[in-house]
CSV table of all heavy atoms in Angstrom, one decimal:
chain,number,residue,atom,x,y,z
A,1459,LYS,N,11.8,11.3,9.2
A,1459,LYS,CA,12.6,10.1,9.2
A,1459,LYS,C,12.1,9.1,8.1
A,1459,LYS,O,12.9,8.4,7.5
A,1459,LYS,CB,12.6,9.5,10.6
A,1459,LYS,CG,13.4,8.2,10.7
A,1459,LYS,CD,13.4,7.7,12.1
A,1459,LYS,CE,14.3,6.5,12.2
A,1459,LYS,NZ,14.2,5.9,13.6
A,1460,GLN,N,10.8,9.0,8.0
A,1460,GLN,CA,10.2,7.9,7.2
A,1460,GLN,C,9.8,8.3,5.8
A,1460,GLN,O,9.7,7.4,4.9
A,1460,GLN,CB,8.9,7.4,7.9
A,1460,GLN,CG,9.1,6.9,9.3
A,1460,GLN,CD,10.1,5.8,9.5
A,1460,GLN,OE1,10.4,5.1,8.5
A,1460,GLN,NE2,10.6,5.6,10.7
A,1461,TRP,N,9.5,9.6,5.5
A,1461,TRP,CA,9.0,10.0,4.2
A,1461,TRP,C,10.2,10.6,3.3
A,1461,TRP,O,10.6,11.7,3.5
A,1461,TRP,CB,7.9,11.0,4.3
A,1461,TRP,CG,7.0,10.9,3.2
A,1461,TRP,CD1,7.1,11.4,1.9
A,1461,TRP,CD2,5.7,10.2,3.1
A,1461,TRP,NE1,6.1,11.1,1.1
A,1461,TRP,CE2,5.2,10.4,1.8
A,1461,TRP,CE3,5.0,9.4,4.0
A,1461,TRP,CZ2,4.0,9.8,1.4
A,1461,TRP,CZ3,3.8,8.9,3.6
A,1461,TRP,CH2,3.3,9.1,2.3
A,1462,LYS,N,10.7,9.7,2.4
A,1462,LYS,CA,11.8,10.2,1.6
A,1462,LYS,C,11.3,10.6,0.2
A,1462,LYS,O,10.1,10.5,-0.1
A,1462,LYS,CB,12.8,9.0,1.4
A,1462,LYS,CG,13.3,8.4,2.8
A,1462,LYS,CD,14.0,9.4,3.6
A,1462,LYS,CE,14.5,8.8,4.9
A,1462,LYS,NZ,15.2,9.8,5.8
A,1463,GLU,N,12.2,10.9,-0.7
A,1463,GLU,CA,11.8,11.3,-2.0
A,1463,GLU,C,11.1,10.2,-2.8
A,1463,GLU,O,10.2,10.4,-3.6
A,1463,GLU,CB,13.0,11.8,-2.8
A,1463,GLU,CG,13.5,13.2,-2.4
A,1463,GLU,CD,14.7,13.7,-3.2
A,1463,GLU,OE1,14.9,13.1,-4.3
A,1463,GLU,OE2,15.3,14.7,-2.9
A,1464,THR,N,11.5,9.0,-2.5
A,1464,THR,CA,11.0,7.8,-3.2
A,1464,THR,C,9.7,7.2,-2.6
A,1464,THR,O,9.1,6.3,-3.1
A,1464,THR,CB,12.1,6.7,-3.3
A,1464,THR,OG1,12.4,6.4,-1.9
A,1464,THR,CG2,13.3,7.1,-4.1
A,1465,THR,N,9.3,7.8,-1.4
A,1465,THR,CA,8.2,7.2,-0.7
A,1465,THR,C,6.9,7.4,-1.4
A,1465,THR,O,6.1,6.4,-1.5
A,1465,THR,CB,8.2,7.8,0.7
A,1465,THR,OG1,9.4,7.6,1.4
A,1465,THR,CG2,7.0,7.2,1.5
A,1466,SER,N,6.6,8.6,-1.9
A,1466,SER,CA,5.3,8.8,-2.5
A,1466,SER,C,4.9,7.8,-3.6
A,1466,SER,O,3.8,7.2,-3.6
A,1466,SER,CB,5.1,10.2,-3.0
A,1466,SER,OG,5.2,11.1,-1.9
A,1467,PRO,N,5.8,7.6,-4.6
A,1467,PRO,CA,5.5,6.6,-5.6
A,1467,PRO,C,5.3,5.2,-5.0
A,1467,PRO,O,4.4,4.5,-5.5
A,1467,PRO,CB,6.8,6.6,-6.5
A,1467,PRO,CG,7.4,7.9,-6.3
A,1467,PRO,CD,7.1,8.3,-4.9
A,1468,LEU,N,6.1,4.8,-4.1
A,1468,LEU,CA,5.9,3.5,-3.4
A,1468,LEU,C,4.5,3.4,-2.8
A,1468,LEU,O,3.8,2.4,-2.9
A,1468,LEU,CB,6.9,3.2,-2.4
A,1468,LEU,CG,8.3,2.9,-2.9
A,1468,LEU,CD1,9.3,2.7,-1.7
A,1468,LEU,CD2,8.3,1.6,-3.7
A,1469,ILE,N,4.1,4.4,-2.1
A,1469,ILE,CA,2.8,4.4,-1.3
A,1469,ILE,C,1.7,4.4,-2.3
A,1469,ILE,O,0.6,3.8,-2.1
A,1469,ILE,CB,2.7,5.6,-0.3
A,1469,ILE,CG1,3.8,5.4,0.7
A,1469,ILE,CG2,1.4,5.6,0.3
A,1469,ILE,CD1,3.8,4.1,1.5
A,1470,LYS,N,1.9,5.1,-3.5
A,1470,LYS,CA,0.8,5.1,-4.5
A,1470,LYS,C,0.6,3.7,-5.0
A,1470,LYS,O,-0.5,3.2,-5.2
A,1470,LYS,CB,1.2,6.0,-5.7
A,1470,LYS,CG,0.9,7.5,-5.5
A,1470,LYS,CD,1.3,8.2,-6.7
A,1470,LYS,CE,1.0,9.7,-6.5
A,1470,LYS,NZ,1.4,10.5,-7.7
A,1471,GLU,N,1.7,2.9,-5.2
A,1471,GLU,CA,1.6,1.5,-5.7
A,1471,GLU,C,0.9,0.7,-4.6
A,1471,GLU,O,0.1,-0.2,-5.0
A,1471,GLU,CB,3.0,1.0,-6.0
A,1471,GLU,CG,3.6,1.6,-7.3
A,1471,GLU,CD,4.9,1.1,-7.7
A,1471,GLU,OE1,5.2,0.0,-7.2
A,1471,GLU,OE2,5.7,1.7,-8.4
A,1472,VAL,N,1.2,0.9,-3.4
A,1472,VAL,CA,0.6,0.1,-2.3
A,1472,VAL,C,-0.9,0.4,-2.3
A,1472,VAL,O,-1.7,-0.5,-2.1
A,1472,VAL,CB,1.2,0.5,-0.9
A,1472,VAL,CG1,0.4,-0.1,0.2
A,1472,VAL,CG2,2.6,0.1,-0.8
A,1473,ALA,N,-1.3,1.7,-2.6
A,1473,ALA,CA,-2.7,2.1,-2.6
A,1473,ALA,C,-3.4,1.3,-3.7
A,1473,ALA,O,-4.5,0.8,-3.6
A,1473,ALA,CB,-2.8,3.6,-2.9
A,1474,ASN,N,-2.7,1.1,-4.9
A,1474,ASN,CA,-3.3,0.3,-6.0
A,1474,ASN,C,-3.5,-1.1,-5.6
A,1474,ASN,O,-4.5,-1.8,-5.9
A,1474,ASN,CB,-2.4,0.4,-7.2
A,1474,ASN,CG,-2.6,1.7,-7.9
A,1474,ASN,OD1,-3.6,2.4,-7.9
A,1474,ASN,ND2,-1.5,2.2,-8.5
A,1475,VAL,N,-2.5,-1.7,-4.8
A,1475,VAL,CA,-2.7,-3.1,-4.3
A,1475,VAL,C,-3.9,-3.2,-3.4
A,1475,VAL,O,-4.7,-4.1,-3.6
A,1475,VAL,CB,-1.4,-3.5,-3.5
A,1475,VAL,CG1,-1.6,-4.8,-2.8
A,1475,VAL,CG2,-0.2,-3.5,-4.5
A,1476,ILE,N,-4.0,-2.2,-2.5
A,1476,ILE,CA,-5.2,-2.2,-1.6
A,1476,ILE,C,-6.5,-2.1,-2.3
A,1476,ILE,O,-7.5,-2.7,-2.0
A,1476,ILE,CB,-5.0,-1.2,-0.5
A,1476,ILE,CG1,-3.8,-1.5,0.4
A,1476,ILE,CG2,-6.2,-1.0,0.3
A,1476,ILE,CD1,-3.4,-0.4,1.4
A,1477,LYS,N,-6.5,-1.2,-3.3
A,1477,LYS,CA,-7.7,-0.9,-4.1
A,1477,LYS,C,-8.2,-2.1,-4.8
A,1477,LYS,O,-9.5,-2.3,-4.9
A,1477,LYS,CB,-7.4,0.2,-5.1
A,1477,LYS,CG,-8.6,0.6,-5.9
A,1477,LYS,CD,-8.2,1.8,-6.9
A,1477,LYS,CE,-9.4,2.3,-7.7
A,1477,LYS,NZ,-8.9,3.3,-8.6
A,1478,ASN,N,-7.4,-3.0,-5.2
A,1478,ASN,CA,-7.8,-4.2,-5.9
A,1478,ASN,C,-8.1,-5.4,-5.1
A,1478,ASN,O,-8.4,-6.5,-5.6
A,1478,ASN,CB,-6.7,-4.6,-7.0
A,1478,ASN,CG,-6.6,-3.5,-8.0
A,1478,ASN,OD1,-7.6,-3.0,-8.5
A,1478,ASN,ND2,-5.4,-3.2,-8.4
A,1479,ILE,N,-8.0,-5.3,-3.7
A,1479,ILE,CA,-8.4,-6.4,-2.9
A,1479,ILE,C,-9.9,-6.5,-2.7
A,1479,ILE,O,-10.5,-5.5,-2.3
A,1479,ILE,CB,-7.7,-6.2,-1.5
A,1479,ILE,CG1,-6.2,-6.2,-1.6
A,1479,ILE,CG2,-8.1,-7.3,-0.5
A,1479,ILE,CD1,-5.4,-5.9,-0.3
A,1480,GLU,N,-10.4,-7.6,-3.0
A,1480,GLU,CA,-11.9,-7.8,-2.9
A,1480,GLU,C,-12.3,-8.3,-1.5
A,1480,GLU,O,-13.2,-7.8,-0.9
A,1480,GLU,CB,-12.4,-8.8,-4.0
A,1480,GLU,CG,-12.2,-8.3,-5.4
A,1480,GLU,CD,-12.8,-9.2,-6.4
A,1480,GLU,OE1,-13.5,-10.2,-6.0
A,1480,GLU,OE2,-12.6,-8.9,-7.6
A,1481,ASP,N,-11.6,-9.3,-1.0
A,1481,ASP,CA,-11.9,-9.8,0.3
A,1481,ASP,C,-11.2,-9.0,1.3
A,1481,ASP,O,-10.0,-9.3,1.8
A,1481,ASP,CB,-11.5,-11.3,0.4
A,1481,ASP,CG,-12.0,-11.9,1.7
A,1481,ASP,OD1,-12.7,-11.3,2.5
A,1481,ASP,OD2,-11.5,-13.1,2.0
A,1482,PHE,N,-11.8,-7.9,1.8
A,1482,PHE,CA,-11.1,-6.8,2.5
A,1482,PHE,C,-11.0,-7.2,4.0
A,1482,PHE,O,-11.8,-6.7,4.8
A,1482,PHE,CB,-11.7,-5.5,2.3
A,1482,PHE,CG,-10.8,-4.3,2.5
A,1482,PHE,CD1,-9.8,-4.0,1.6
A,1482,PHE,CD2,-10.9,-3.5,3.7
A,1482,PHE,CE1,-9.0,-2.9,1.8
A,1482,PHE,CE2,-10.0,-2.5,3.9
A,1482,PHE,CZ,-9.1,-2.1,2.9
A,1483,ASN,N,-10.1,-8.0,4.4
A,1483,ASN,CA,-9.9,-8.3,5.8
A,1483,ASN,C,-8.4,-8.2,6.1
A,1483,ASN,O,-7.6,-8.2,5.2
A,1483,ASN,CB,-10.4,-9.7,6.2
A,1483,ASN,CG,-9.8,-10.8,5.4
A,1483,ASN,OD1,-8.6,-11.1,5.6
A,1483,ASN,ND2,-10.5,-11.4,4.4
A,1484,SER,N,-8.1,-8.2,7.4
A,1484,SER,CA,-6.7,-7.9,7.8
A,1484,SER,C,-5.7,-8.9,7.2
A,1484,SER,O,-4.7,-8.5,6.7
A,1484,SER,CB,-6.7,-7.9,9.3
A,1484,SER,OG,-5.3,-7.7,9.8
A,1485,ALA,N,-6.1,-10.2,7.3
A,1485,ALA,CA,-5.1,-11.2,6.8
A,1485,ALA,C,-4.8,-11.1,5.3
A,1485,ALA,O,-3.7,-11.2,4.9
A,1485,ALA,CB,-5.7,-12.6,7.2
A,1486,THR,N,-5.9,-10.9,4.6
A,1486,THR,CA,-5.7,-10.7,3.1
A,1486,THR,C,-5.0,-9.5,2.7
A,1486,THR,O,-4.1,-9.5,1.9
A,1486,THR,CB,-7.1,-10.7,2.4
A,1486,THR,OG1,-7.8,-11.9,2.8
A,1486,THR,CG2,-7.0,-10.7,0.9
A,1487,ILE,N,-5.3,-8.4,3.4
A,1487,ILE,CA,-4.6,-7.1,3.1
A,1487,ILE,C,-3.1,-7.3,3.4
A,1487,ILE,O,-2.2,-6.9,2.6
A,1487,ILE,CB,-5.2,-6.0,4.0
A,1487,ILE,CG1,-6.7,-5.8,3.7
A,1487,ILE,CG2,-4.5,-4.7,3.7
A,1487,ILE,CD1,-7.4,-5.0,4.7
A,1488,GLU,N,-2.8,-7.9,4.6
A,1488,GLU,CA,-1.4,-8.1,4.9
A,1488,GLU,C,-0.7,-9.0,3.9
A,1488,GLU,O,0.4,-8.7,3.5
A,1488,GLU,CB,-1.3,-8.8,6.3
A,1488,GLU,CG,0.1,-9.0,6.8
A,1488,GLU,CD,0.1,-9.4,8.3
A,1488,GLU,OE1,-0.9,-9.7,8.9
A,1488,GLU,OE2,1.3,-9.6,8.8
A,1489,GLU,N,-1.4,-10.0,3.5
A,1489,GLU,CA,-0.8,-11.0,2.5
A,1489,GLU,C,-0.4,-10.2,1.2
A,1489,GLU,O,0.7,-10.4,0.7
A,1489,GLU,CB,-1.7,-12.1,2.3
A,1489,GLU,CG,-1.2,-13.1,1.2
A,1489,GLU,CD,-2.3,-14.2,0.9
A,1489,GLU,OE1,-3.3,-14.2,1.6
A,1489,GLU,OE2,-2.1,-14.9,-0.1
């Protein structure tokens, strides 16, 4: 239901966002 053809590229970009977070806490990650 959740993993479509376009999902992998999107999740890769989210991974890059997460990778570049320095202050790694829930509030900052969510923001």
Side-chain angles (χ1 to χ4, degrees):
K1459 183 177 180 181
Q1460 304 298 342
W1461 207 279
K1462 308 299 182 183
E1463 290 184 9
T1464 58
T1465 301
S1466 293
L1468 285 177
I1469 296 301
K1470 279 184 181 180
E1471 291 182 17
V1472 172
N1474 286 329
V1475 172
I1476 292 172
K1477 184 177 181 181
N1478 292 319
I1479 297 172
E1480 293 185 8
D1481 187 8
F1482 203 77
N1483 61 71
S1484 178
T1486 304
I1487 302 164
E1488 183 173 4
E1489 178 187 349

